[in-house]
């Protein structure tokens, strides 16, 4: 179901690879890519439309298409490692992956652990619930209630957001957005705090469940590619590719495909 990067813009990745000046001094990440001819990308696989697992067990999404484009431009193979969201930064620091592409918001705290390239997308926090009262919320006071059980993915900016705006509510940490949606459907939590795209998709996928979400996001967050802090050569290379993709319309095409079209939804479990 996932349209290949090559079909989006035939030959473009190869053109970019030739157009960018080669890097002469390679750090650990870049050296691994060169030596093993493989770009290893970490993703959670549970944040559609950015990253998701299809019915067939493959990984799909905006981030995955972009990762395919980067690997093709580098003329190397792409190795996607699906990990729990909360383990991605650890994997990057331990050199288990070369970069993170998983709808990862850029924050000061995360910037102490990784170098961010971008942003290439803007995201925002929203809430998924069955309560018409919560769905009409316009400020943090509506969520700061001791009687509320609010789910959020562990170690995510959504979890941090709940802690900040609703310290009186009970934060329920979940491993994935899908797990949070399941808890909401089972009546185990009152709401799920997640990116707006995740909330809107859940409403579409569970049309008869009475799920509702906010009309406007509660926050605006930049999303970037996370790479090692200690490899400026690799940072420069990926940054050059991303700038080229923005200027030539590649990112615009990917945004249209994953955020304006809905045919890919049928490929989800």
């Amino acid at each position: 179901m996932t349209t290949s990067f090559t079909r989006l813009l035939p030959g473009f990745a190869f053109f970019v690879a030739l157009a960018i000046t080669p890097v002469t001094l390679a750090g650990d990440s870049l050296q691994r890519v060169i030596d093993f001819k493989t770009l290893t990308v970490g993703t959670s696989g549970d944040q559609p439309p950015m990253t998701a697992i299809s019915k067939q067990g493959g990984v799909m999404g905006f981030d995955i298409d972009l990762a395919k484009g980067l690997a093709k431009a580098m003329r190397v193979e792409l190795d996607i490692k699906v990990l729990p969201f909360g383990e991605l930064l650890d994997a990057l620091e331990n050199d288990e992956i070369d970069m993170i592409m998983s709808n990862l918001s850029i924050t000061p705290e995360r910037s102490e652990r990784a170098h961010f390239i971008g942003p290439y997308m803007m995201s925002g926090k929203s809430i998924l619930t069955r309560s018409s009262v919560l769905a009409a919320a316009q400020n943090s006071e509506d969520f700061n209630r001791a009687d509320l059980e609010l789910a959020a993915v562990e170690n995510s900016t959504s979890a941090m957001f709940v802690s900040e705006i609703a310290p009186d509510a009970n934060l329920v940490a979940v491993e994935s957005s899908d797990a949070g949606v399941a808890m909401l459907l089972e009546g185990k939590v009152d709401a799920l705090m997640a990116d707006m795209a995740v909330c809107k998709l859940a409403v579409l996928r569970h049309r008869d469940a009475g799920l509702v979400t906010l009309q406007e996001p509660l926050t605006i967050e930049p999303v970037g590619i996370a790479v090692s802090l200690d490899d400026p050569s690799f940072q420069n290379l990926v940054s050059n590719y991303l700038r080229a993709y923005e200027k030539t319309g590649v990112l615009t095409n990917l945004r249209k495909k994953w955020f304006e079209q809905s045919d890919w939804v049928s490929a989800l479990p």
Side-chain angles (χ1 to χ4, degrees):
M1 178 60 65
T2 301
T3 303
S4 68
F5 188 91
T6 305
R7 287 175 59 191
L8 285 172
L9 271 179
F12 174 77
F14 178 73
F15 167 77
V16 174
L18 294 178
I20 296 177
T21 303
V23 179
T24 56
L25 297 176
D28 290 343
S29 299
L30 182 55
Q31 196 63 59
R32 280 197 306 273
V33 173
I34 293 172
D35 291 345
F36 295 102
K37 303 296 182 185
T38 300
L39 175 66
T40 304
V41 176
T43 192
S44 67
D46 61 4
Q47 299 167 286
M50 299 299 285
T51 172
I53 306 297
S54 70
K55 291 177 182 176
Q56 289 73 34
V59 191
M60 57 185 277
F62 182 108
D63 281 331
I64 309 308
D65 276 2
L66 182 54
K68 289 177 181 178
L70 291 173
K72 187 172 182 63
M74 295 179 193
R75 289 174 285 181
V76 299
E77 296 296 320
L78 176 64
D79 179 22
I80 296 288
K81 287 191 178 298
V82 178
L83 299 167
F85 185 86
E87 297 179 10
L88 288 171
L89 282 172
D90 290 336
L92 182 67
E93 291 178 323
N94 293 332
D95 292 329
E96 297 170 15
I97 55 178
D98 300 314
M99 64 174 61
I100 300 171
M101 297 183 67
S102 192
N103 195 33
L104 192 64
S105 300
I106 303 171
T107 68
E109 294 79 11
R110 288 174 179 164
S111 295
E112 290 184 324
R113 303 180 63 186
H115 176 85
F116 281 89
I117 297 165
Y120 62 93
M121 177 67 68
M122 299 304 291
S123 183
K125 292 290 168 252
S126 189
I127 195 164
L128 181 70
T129 181
R130 281 174 162 170
S131 167
S132 58
V133 175
L134 290 179
Q138 296 183 345
N139 56 65
S140 61
E141 295 179 0
D142 296 317
F143 305 111
N144 193 27
R145 292 165 28 194
D147 63 323
L148 287 183
E149 302 275 335
L150 300 180
V153 174
E154 185 177 10
N155 294 329
S156 68
T157 52
S158 295
M160 289 187 286
F161 187 61
V162 171
S163 298
E164 291 171 0
I165 70 163
D168 292 340
N170 181 29
L171 172 61
V172 180
V174 293
E175 188 175 89
S176 67
S177 298
D178 286 344
V181 173
M183 291 188 72
L184 178 60
L185 293 174
E186 294 167 4
K188 295 180 178 179
V189 295
D190 296 295
L192 169 70
M193 187 71 70
D195 291 329
M196 174 158 274
V198 172
C199 296
K200 287 186 174 181
L201 178 61
V203 173
L204 289 175
R205 293 180 69 185
H206 304 280
R207 294 181 182 274
D208 299 326
L211 298 178
V212 288
T213 189
L214 305 181
Q215 293 299 314
E216 299 293 337
L218 296 167
T219 65
I220 298 296
E221 301 178 3
V223 174
I225 300 172
V227 298
S228 171
L229 286 170
D230 304 319
D231 196 341
S233 297
F234 190 55
Q235 296 168 11
N236 181 64
L237 181 69
V238 178
S239 180
N240 283 337
Y241 285 133
L242 194 63
R243 283 199 300 269
Y245 291 161
E246 184 69 76
K247 290 181 179 179
T248 53
V250 172
L251 294 183
T252 298
N253 284 350
L254 289 179
R255 292 183 189 114
K256 288 179 180 178
K257 173 186 174 182
W258 292 103
F259 286 89
E260 297 179 18
Q261 301 170 15
S262 60
D263 55 337
W264 58 270
V265 175
S266 62
L268 295 173

